[in-house]
Amino acid sequence: TQVSAAPDAIALVYNTTHLTYQVLNQKANQLAHYLQQQGVSLETPVGVWAVRSPATIIAILAIIKAGGTYIPLDPHYPLERLEWMIADTHMAILISDPPEEAIPVAIKALVPTVELSAVTEQLSSLPTTQISGPVTVESLAYILYTSGSTGRPKGVCVPHQSVTRLVKSPNYVTLTPHDVLLQAAPLTFDASTFEIWGALLNGGKLVLLPTQAPSLEELGQAISHHQITTLWLTAGLFNLMVDEQLTSLTGVRQLLAGGDVLSISHLSKALKSLTNTRIINGYGPTEGTTFTCCHTVTEQDLDSSIPIGRPLQHTQIHVLDADLQPVPAGIPGELYIGGAGVARGYLN
């Protein structure tokens, strides 16, 4: 949570709200002090009602500063799934920012809820100083749940070192204080890890998409208006943006797409039009912290399927057979991932 950004540099943008790094840090510190008063300490599981807003980002920062582990809860999840996640994590507190997407009464009955608007006065009287806590690189930063498409959802436990490995001195993109990243992915999807920390841990600007479920036109307008330089899109959304909003991507310096096989025809169209944009195929499971391998797409790649590329920094990959022995080049095998990006494990 220590960033070498100018205090008056803009850290966060949401509609007409602009927060500097100094203000963002002070607000997060005050909430962190409050959370410690409520018993949050090392790896205490703290839920975040995952509505895209400055208060949500402040809550995430505060949880980490207090030593806790943040767990985003999507308001649109079925009630049964939310209840199960709260029980599975033994969630100590749930932070929300009403009135948007109010928390159901059934949820409030399961976990103590802190509504930030209700504790504004208490927070304003607390210190703005940094908390010196017991957090190490191996402490848990967050828990994200898998989709559950192959069975019951599993909580993936991601430590701090996995996040810093993703965005500090990366070898697959460049991230600088001059970069502007769009926070458009759901907080329950690990692409948000890249968006949030790619900006805030490099002194860049994080723009929160103001519409929770934007149209393609609204997404394109946000990208153009805020002059987004680094952008993540799912493979499906990439295809739609290339078809419907291609001109809005012309100012993007680095465009990462993935989550599925990329369309050759859409890549071809994008490469011809976005001559100043580096298009990157990003591959990786949640258990590998957003990206495991990346590949910058070129015209030569369009003759076949797009490679997943080479591993990120501090990451190792091996293609092994059933006996865990390396296979020769050109022979199918299973991909094994090692290094700092690998999560600690599954919860429980």
Side-chain angles (χ1 to χ4, degrees):
T1 53
Q2 297 288 352
V3 180
S4 57
D8 59 348
I10 300 298
L12 202 62
V13 176
Y14 181 72
N15 285 323
T16 58
T17 299
H18 293 68
L19 296 183
T20 63
Y21 270 91
Q22 182 176 41
V23 171
L24 179 64
N25 196 41
Q26 289 174 344
K27 287 180 177 291
N29 286 341
Q30 287 177 318
L31 181 54
H33 282 285
Y34 176 84
L35 291 175
Q36 283 198 333
Q37 290 176 358
Q38 307 306 307
V40 174
S41 59
L42 187 62
E43 297 194 359
T44 300
V46 181
V48 177
W49 201 241
V51 176
R52 197 181 298 114
S53 73
T56 300
I57 301 299
I58 290 167
I60 288 172
L61 282 165
I63 292 164
I64 282 180
K65 286 171 177 284
T69 301
Y70 69 90
I71 305 152
L73 297 182
D74 191 325
H76 300 106
Y77 279 168
L79 184 60
E80 182 181 355
R81 173 162 175 155
L82 294 171
E83 292 173 338
W84 180 81
M85 290 170 64
I86 290 168
D88 191 50
T89 57
H90 301 287
M91 193 175 289
I93 297 174
L94 174 58
I95 301 175
S96 72
D97 179 33
E100 280 191 273
E101 304 286 357
I103 297 178
V105 174
I107 297 295
K108 291 184 178 182
L110 294 176
V111 58
T113 303
V114 175
E115 296 188 352
L116 295 179
S117 59
V119 295
T120 302
E121 286 191 25
Q122 287 175 266
L123 295 178
S124 63
S125 65
L126 291 174
T128 59
T129 52
Q130 199 85 4
I131 289 177
S132 56
V135 175
T136 71
V137 294
E138 296 174 349
S139 302
L140 286 188
Y142 65 80
I143 299 172
L144 284 189
Y145 277 80
T146 60
S147 63
S149 57
T150 57
R152 174 167 276 193
K154 296 187 288 290
V156 179
C157 301
V158 179
H160 284 254
Q161 70 176 2
S162 296
V163 178
T164 54
R165 159 266 187 193
L166 177 69
V167 299
K168 295 298 289 182
S169 304
N171 63 357
Y172 62 102
V173 290
T174 58
L175 295 170
T176 74
H178 303 292
D179 274 297
V180 186
L181 280 77
L182 185 67
Q183 207 288 284
L187 290 172
T188 50
F189 179 38
D190 69 345
S192 65
T193 304
F194 171 78
E195 294 170 338
I196 294 170
W197 302 112
L200 297 185
L201 289 184
N202 290 291
K205 184 189 297 181
L206 181 65
V207 176
L208 305 183
L209 194 62
T211 308
Q212 300 297 325
S215 64
L216 291 177
E217 184 179 4
E218 288 171 327
L219 180 57
Q221 288 173 349
I223 293 167
S224 299
H225 176 72
H226 294 287
Q227 298 179 314
I228 301 300
T229 65
T230 301
L231 178 68
W232 157 259
L233 297 173
T234 63
L237 188 53
F238 170 78
N239 293 345
L240 291 170
M241 290 297 288
V242 169
D243 285 337
E244 304 291 338
Q245 292 289 325
L246 186 58
T247 56
S248 70
L249 302 174
T250 53
V252 177
R253 186 170 62 87
Q254 301 171 125
L255 173 56
L256 296 101
D260 205 342
V261 178
L262 297 182
S263 160
I264 297 293
S265 62
H266 288 87
L267 284 170
S268 177
K269 185 177 179 181
L271 285 173
K272 287 175 183 173
S273 298
L274 307 176
T275 54
N276 295 318
T277 303
R278 182 183 174 197
I279 301 175
I280 301 162
N281 182 25
Y283 165 82
T286 302
E287 294 86 344
T289 314
T290 310
F291 301 128
T292 295
C293 303
C294 284
H295 175 77
T296 298
V297 181
T298 66
E299 290 281 354
Q300 289 71 38
D301 296 321
L302 303 180
D303 294 332
S304 59
S305 61
I306 307 301
I308 63 171
R310 296 187 175 275
L312 271 61
Q313 62 286 343
H314 312 299
T315 303
Q316 299 82 44
I317 58 171
H318 305 278
V319 184
L320 308 179
D321 63 19
D323 296 318
L324 303 187
Q325 297 301 308
V327 298
I331 303 299
E334 288 194 319
L335 192 69
Y336 283 74
I337 303 168
V342 177
R344 180 191 292 180
Y346 295 118
L347 186 66
N348 303 325

